[in-house]
Amino acid sequence: MKKLFAILALCLTIGTAANAQWYLGGSAGIGTADRNFAFTLSPMAGYEFNDMMAVQAGLGVITTNYFGTHGTAQAWFRFTPWNNGTVYIDLLAGGDLIFDDYADIACIGIRPQLRFRVHPQVDFSATVGLLGTVYNPSYGWAFACGVAGLSTHTTSFMDDISLNVVYRF
């Protein structure tokens, strides 16, 4: 039984590795929070295990009309429940950390993403909203939900809409 399990694990690893690819990309997003406007620009790198799973991380900047400019770090796991080879519906699970002069802010949750494969190596995507929780030292943990300018989060800046491009190599 142990040999069978080892053989199956090896086959699964080799099969997954055959489709694995590194990618580089970037994201530009806009959002609102506490009556303030925010703009985010984040380069990212990721590893696509197969057409259904990937991990990505990035560092970026967020600029707001009230709090100024801050650094951000993101880490996300991408799961693709449906695709037809050109259009992909993704769920991103993970979070952002915003480095602020006053306090660091953390966002953890799930974001839906619509992705289009325009070339075998290039994807364009749009991510809308966040459903999850936010931590701000001034307020503690709070429910967060933001969708296209209709944000109900009041303790952080999160992208309501972000546009992304990815190049796989």
Side-chain angles (χ1 to χ4, degrees):
M1 185 68 173
K2 289 181 184 179
K3 289 180 183 179
L4 178 63
F5 179 73
I7 291 171
L8 288 175
L10 180 63
C11 291
L12 182 62
T13 303
I14 291 170
T16 302
N19 292 330
Q21 293 184 19
W22 287 97
Y23 63 86
L24 294 175
S27 174
I30 57 172
T32 58
D34 291 336
R35 297 176 303 277
N36 294 295
F37 176 78
F39 175 76
T40 307
L41 188 61
S42 301
M44 66 179 160
Y47 187 74
E48 199 170 63
F49 299 105
N50 53 38
D51 280 344
M52 300 212 30
M53 293 184 293
V55 291
Q56 65 188 39
L59 295 173
V61 295
I62 183 169
T63 301
T64 67
N65 63 331
Y66 182 74
F67 293 110
T69 302
H70 310 289
T72 67
Q74 308 92 26
W76 295 92
F77 172 78
R78 185 185 77 209
F79 174 69
T80 306
W82 181 86
N83 78 73
N84 67 4
T86 303
V87 178
Y88 296 76
I89 295 176
D90 301 326
L91 292 175
L92 301 175
D96 297 340
L97 180 62
I98 301 170
F99 307 104
D100 192 329
D101 294 339
Y102 306 107
D104 295 337
I105 300 169
C107 310
I108 301 169
I110 297 173
R111 301 181 75 174
Q113 176 174 272
L114 183 61
R115 186 165 42 109
F116 299 94
R117 183 149 296 160
V118 296
H119 183 273
Q121 293 178 294
V122 179
D123 290 351
F124 287 111
S125 62
T127 307
V128 179
L130 175 105
L131 179 62
T133 186
V134 174
Y135 177 76
N136 182 325
S138 301
Y139 302 102
W141 287 100
F143 173 73
C145 178
V147 178
L150 303 175
S151 302
T152 60
H153 52 279
T154 60
T155 59
S156 175
F157 293 97
M158 292 175 286
D159 295 338
D160 290 334
I161 300 173
S162 64
L163 302 176
N164 316 291
V165 63
V166 164
Y167 175 77
R168 278 183 301 288
F169 54 95

